[in-house]
Amino acid sequence: DGELYQNGTFIDKIIEMNLRNSVFADCTADHFIALRYEDIIMAKIAVVTCNKIANTLGMDYYHKLHRQAVSQHVPFLYETNVGAALPVICLIRQMRLCGDTPERVEACLSGTLNYVFSRYDGQTPFHRIVEEASSLGYAEPDPMADISGKDVMRKTLILARECGMDIEESQVNTASFLPPQWPCEEHFRSLYLESRQKEGTLRYVSTIDNRGVKAGLKVVPREHPFSGLRGTDVSVILYSRLYPNGLRVEGAGAGGRQTASGLINDILQCV
Amino acid sequence: DGELYQNGTFIDKIIEMNLRNSVFADCTADHFIALRYEDIIMAKIAVVTCNKIANTLGMDYYHKLHRQAVSQHVPFLYETNVGAALPVICLIRQMRLCGDTPERVEACLSGTLNYVFSRYDGQTPFHRIVEEASSLGYAEPDPMADISGKDVMRKTLILARECGMDIEESQVNTASFLPPQWPCEEHFRSLYLESRQKEGTLRYVSTIDNRGVKAGLKVVPREHPFSGLRGTDVSVILYSRLYPNGLRVEGAGAGGRQTASGLINDILQCV
């Protein structure tokens, strides 16, 4: 019930009811709900979320939530924070539990940006393709949130933290590829022509290694796995001692149904 | 202790001890041990195994073990049956739990065969490269078990059953690429030249769909993801309603350390 939620009493209510094996699933992108996870976990209620806010606030809150989840023996699961239902967070966790750690992560995390850059050929104006992605339901309601790279930055931050890095949002090195004026077709056409000249494909790539965490537009060579991504598919490659050539996961990384199936997987792990 | 095992008393002993949260991890390829899983599960002891035997015997035994594991509330986990620690079995399970099912599986499952066909260029004799794979520890002690396709057949059968198919070993359609005489360099050189002519790469590919289950040597085009597999990497692509372009997992699918880490993951899920 919307009203119950609006004044926060829905969460008070489930804490008060104190039912066994409760799972709180957050399918919003709401800041205030993310700040209530602490209360929920302390009440021994599992939290499953596709909301990226809690994991991208300060490290203090991040550590606090994770520590509390452990001490309360309560699952806090957020596989859908990165790549919808694709197994990314759980793979990093499994690696680390076995004494292996990703030494380097390369990822192409935005289904929207992959779609847009795959479609753009310098003919149809760039902003038209963004509108198209939006009307097909691939992009956020405000597609600028997607193409500004803000969403990718959050996913990259979450992956870096999952790899064990103590890192704040401000330390993720992102370079926006947007022109000061929007739309500015000339800007995008020159990016496209540059990629053609280098015989590559434009991709928004995240990189995590001991030199830092960054995300930005790159021209990847045709033979690189990111170049061949289709539709809204995303790709994550984890390099570690056991996976020197990389452990690669690839597939639909956006979409309501995919995210819902990822949430169900997480919920099933709680019970 | 080898002797304890030899007369089967090791298993009797752990059943008799009846300790809480016991996990029986089978790292052998032994037929007789696989036949004892039933007793072990009935004693409420979890079974974690990289041994493919139990899951490739008749459907009767397969169904029996899986039913008993459910009714005894005991984990029976075998992620390492296919692709070492790569998440393949668990992905198929998760898909099915969410109401999605793989409609088609394409896989390149033998690290050994991938290594051999990537190295073979018609110059160095084929059997030398097989020996090389063997001495590098990639192949089974008897490399013929690998290159005969027997091992791939078992993995393919296990994947098909995991997808929900009732299928026996005899129904897996495998075509051996081995010549009647071994070694017969002429045979392999002509296979290689054919692949060159078609501008592709030789790969031993498994396919599972509603038309059946098969595994055999194929010439895959250069742009196909299987063509670019490096070293002993393997690849599995699951196609389903939610993943029309495929959900792809790729990486080191063989090796003692990788398999050990997969076993540890499974054991950690039991406790």
Side-chain angles (χ1 to χ4, degrees), chain A residues 90-103:
Chain A
C90 71
L91 276 184
I92 298 177
R93 283 199 184 168
Q94 285 181 1
M95 268 194 180
R96 297 184 68 200
L97 280 171
C98 296
D100 199 19
T101 296
E103 285 155 6

Side-chain angles (χ1 to χ4, degrees), chain B residues 51-95:
Chain B
N51 180 349
K52 291 182 267 290
I53 303 285
N55 284 324
T56 52
L57 292 172
M59 275 310 284
D60 282 355
Y61 189 58
Y62 183 88
H63 280 314
K64 203 177 193 180
L65 282 183
H66 283 75
R67 254 196 319 259
Q68 283 175 349
V70 170
S71 69
Q72 299 293 312
H73 302 285
V74 154
F76 171 38
L77 302 175
Y78 43 86
E79 183 62 77
T80 49
N81 273 190
V82 179
L86 295 180
V88 179
I89 305 282
C90 71
L91 276 184
I92 298 177
R93 284 199 184 168
Q94 286 181 1
M95 268 193 180

